[in-house]
Amino acid sequence: MFDSLSDRLGGILDKLKRRGALTEADVGEAMREVRRALIEADVALDVVRSFTDKVRQRAVGVEVIKSVTPGQMVVKIVHDVLVETLGSDADPIDLNAPAPVPILMVGLQGSGKTTTTAKIAKRLTERGNRRVLMASLDTRRPAAMEQLATLGTQVEVNTLPIVPGQSAVQIAKRAMDAARFGNYDVVILDTAGRVTLDEALMAEVAEVKAITNPHEVLLVADSLTGQDAVNTAKAFDSRVSITGIVLTRADGDGRGGAALSMRAVTGKPIKLLGTGEKMDGLEDFDPQRVAGRILGM
Amino acid sequence: VTKRKLDAETLEELEDLLIRADLGTATAARIVEAVGKGRHDKMIAPDEVKGLIASEVEEILGPVAKPFVPDAGQKPFVVLMVGVNGSGKTTTIGKLAAQWRSEGKRLTLAAGDTFRAAAIEQLKVWGARTGAHVVAREQGADAAGVAHDAITEARANGSDIVMIDTAGRLQNRTELMDELEKVVRVVKKLEPTAPHAVLLVLDATVGQNALNQVEVFARTAGVTGLVMTKLDGTARGGILVAIAQKYRLPIHLVGVGEGAEDLQPFSARDFSRAIAGLD
Ligand SMILES: Nc1nc2c(ncn2[C@@H]2O[C@H](COP(=O)(O)OP(=O)(O)OP(=O)(O)O)[C@@H](O)[C@H]2O)c(=O)[nH]1
Ligand SMILES: Nc1nc2c(ncn2[C@@H]2O[C@H](COP(=O)(O)OP(=O)(O)OP(=O)(O)O)[C@@H](O)[C@H]2O)c(=O)[nH]1
Ligand SMILES: [K+]
Ligand SMILES: [Mg+2]
Ligand SMILES: [Mg+2]
């Protein structure tokens, strides 16, 4: 079982029972524990490294206050740097563009794009009072379009009529036209899942982006993802320059290090958390909560 | 090729390689220790080191690599597919159906995911593609009831194999795990030896949480073997090594794409070499 970082660092640092400032040596040993804790939470290795460097710099020389143990002191610094890195403010979906505002959903297979599309549509309709159109550009997965249509009925948001035989690019054009003619405020484009090594499909999503000029490009990723989070985030960002990240399955008991990995390598904000299969399972990103989860606190 | 000293720094780099493949810190350390044993400060070529890593990994995976062969003595042979959301359960059923149909077997598929939008339609598409009979009720119906119907129909239509699809569920969602337990219970009531196989489907991108997935699904549904999907992407799926060490469950199959033919038997050798960065 995982011991929380506090216990581990407590064990290392507090036995020193020192007063005064943390030395390089104290902090060095503590950083090895921090490193292990972060890897066990699925934070990507390279991100772990730059993160512990930052923490080390901040921790060395810090005065240990009388009432606080060195272990607690370091945990607090780790937590603070974590929250800063994750992004301190909630960053909502930006609709500040001429209507219809296109939002493009991208990600690996099964990450939660279609479900999240419908959740966002519901939220924008109910809370933002926007007219939303959803379109499935997924010509590959069996019954993908029916899935979005069914969800559309559930959340009472219109979906683009299904026309068999069209390519993703053709559907994207049709969706933009329909949104314009239908006076929609927002059009959400759900795409097929793709592995980033699939050159043909990566080119397809780049073409969809070029044609629709989306105001938001959201990478939908599974919060249970391991070390691959950096590859995925980098690949989608370099191909379609994402504007934000949605982490799904935050209702799981994963430690969610992927959040830190993806945020750190792209610099793009995590905007939302998926917290269930149901249509109301969508929450604003809260760095405090995610930081606590990563640290097992 | 320049040889390098197998010193502490080189070993640390090897450990990093394994961590990047999701083996986790403990398993990575154990493997690197085995590689370093008796070889400290020896001169060694880079590919040779990777070969050593691969054989250490293969030693762990070899004993659990087992082909997935339905027992012809059980008719119908009942397979239950379980796992977290989006891992590839339904697609794996479709791929297995394609394989077994091409071997001339009669199949019945149970649309036991009555929750997710268009999950039933998705399975029906696979049924039509492969010529497998699909048993479904309406969305929202009791999953255990669908499984019950499918086994009853399979007996009547002379099916060799029944595959039961289930809704994805996170293992910490107790109410959903209870529902899965009920599916197993209902199947057993109808046929005490069934389900004859319970396959847990893991996504190769998953990190350390997969250990928990195995633990809880095994306890709830009596998992008999593992499938790892999406190995056609950049993820290496190294958590399987930690799982093999801890649970020793058979690993049967890997998914390498979305098509019917993109399913392969699990090869400990190929998998280990990919982990070590060979080929
Ligand atoms: N528990 C949980 N399940 C989720 C969440 N978001 C999506 N899901 C489930 O994850 C599975 C996959 O979701 P989809 O929306 O179909 O994923 P996708 O990315 O569109 O998949 P493809 O189109 O096949 O690439 C479904 O079972 C969803 O119900 C979430 O936040 N929590
Ligand atoms: N690249 C790749 N994609 C796969 C593989 N197996 C499944 N997929 C894709 O992953 C997505 C999810 O697969 P599903 O079979 O629907 O997964 P599931 O576990 O049934 O999902 P839920 O029923 O929603 O929990 C689909 O887009 C599949 O095409 C694989 O081996 N490689
Ligand atoms: K995943
Ligand atoms: Mg989808
Ligand atoms: Mg399914």
Side-chain angles (χ1 to χ4, degrees), chain A residues 109-111 138 141-142 147 193-195, chain B residues 83-92 95 113 116 119 122 126 165-169 201 228-233 254-258 262:
Chain A
Q109 282 96 346
S111 62
D138 186 347
R141 168 170 169 172
Q147 183 187 358
R194 62 204 74 220
V195 293
Chain B
V84 300
N85 311 77
S87 63
K89 296 173 292 299
T90 308
T91 307
T92 302
K95 292 172 178 178
D113 181 354
R116 214 209 57 215
Q122 185 186 0
W126 280 107
D165 194 15
T166 61
R169 66 199 77 220
V201 181
M228 177 161 272
T229 61
K230 309 185 196 175
L231 277 168
D232 48 321
V254 296
V256 291
E258 297 180 83
D262 295 324

Side-chain angles (χ1 to χ4, degrees), chain B residues 198-268:
Chain B
V198 180
L199 299 185
L200 174 63
V201 181
L202 301 170
D203 180 329
T205 61
V206 72
Q208 304 302 304
N209 189 251
L211 284 162
N212 250 345
Q213 294 176 22
V214 172
E215 168 106 30
V216 180
F217 275 100
R219 198 193 316 131
T220 309
V223 171
T224 61
L226 306 174
V227 179
M228 177 161 272
T229 61
K230 309 185 196 175
L231 277 168
D232 48 321
T234 48
R236 301 251 195 250
I239 192 64
L240 265 190
V241 185
I243 290 170
Q245 272 195 327
K246 186 155 182 205
Y247 298 101
R248 297 177 201 285
L249 276 168
I251 309 173
H252 296 305
L253 298 159
V254 296
V256 291
E258 297 180 83
E261 66 292 346
D262 295 324
L263 186 71
Q264 298 170 358
F266 175 75
S267 155

